[in-house]
Amino acid sequence: MRIKSILTVDDDENDLFICAYTIRKFDPAVQTLKAMNGVDALAVLRNTTPDAIILDINMPVMNGFEFLDHYASEFSVHAPVVAMLTSSHLSADRERAMRYNFVKSYFEKPLTLANLKLMAEILDHDHN
């Protein structure tokens, strides 16, 4: 399965730019959506279901973990891949994120082409 759209949730404009740039390098046809925090991301998801979500942990208003809680309870259909992309090196953060069945991967910033390739492989695996 080809990734058609990705929602990137991060409060840092530079990280959003790097993600968008890397996604364009990976596949220029991928639609990139963005949100600056979990509240904005939930608003985007009420109108569209992307193929994947890339989520930061540390954000104002609603952090990544608060977003995951709301996302799990509010939506019955989840994007197949939520990839945590964070600067956190804490194994406790990784373990907490991976408790959600729709969180499939956990990457440390910055986003790389290898991360996107892995996400595409996960999507392929989930659809077969």
Side-chain angles (χ1 to χ4, degrees):
M1 177 188 168
R2 195 175 126 300
I3 299 174
K4 296 181 192 82
S5 61
I6 297 175
L7 170 61
T8 304
V9 187
D10 199 312
D11 62 313
D12 186 309
E13 285 284 353
N14 292 325
D15 288 328
L16 287 171
F17 176 82
I18 290 167
C19 285
Y21 175 82
T22 306
I23 291 166
R24 267 195 314 279
K25 264 181 85 172
F26 177 74
D27 183 346
V30 174
Q31 178 189 13
T32 55
L33 308 165
K34 67 179 181 176
M36 299 291 286
N37 59 59
V39 171
D40 292 346
L42 291 170
V44 169
L45 292 168
R46 288 183 189 109
N47 296 312
T48 186
T49 303
D51 293 321
I53 300 169
I54 297 173
L55 179 67
D56 187 24
I57 292 177
N58 298 310
M59 297 178 289
V61 185
M62 179 187 286
N63 71 33
F65 291 122
E66 293 167 330
F67 166 82
L68 291 173
D69 289 339
H70 285 272
Y71 186 57
S73 64
E74 183 176 337
F75 294 89
S76 57
V77 175
H78 299 109
V81 176
V82 172
M84 302 299 286
L85 180 70
T86 181
S87 54
S88 173
H89 306 288
L90 300 176
S91 60
D93 283 346
R94 175 185 296 270
E95 290 165 13
R96 182 175 174 191
M98 298 306 288
R99 284 187 200 129
Y100 296 87
N101 65 346
F102 49 83
V103 175
K104 304 295 184 181
S105 46
Y106 187 103
F107 307 127
E108 290 180 12
K109 291 181 179 179
L111 182 67
T112 65
L113 291 171
N115 297 150
L116 289 168
K117 185 174 186 282
L118 179 60
M119 287 175 61
E121 289 170 3
I122 291 168
L123 280 169
D124 277 342
H125 181 264
D126 282 0
H127 278 86
N128 290 331

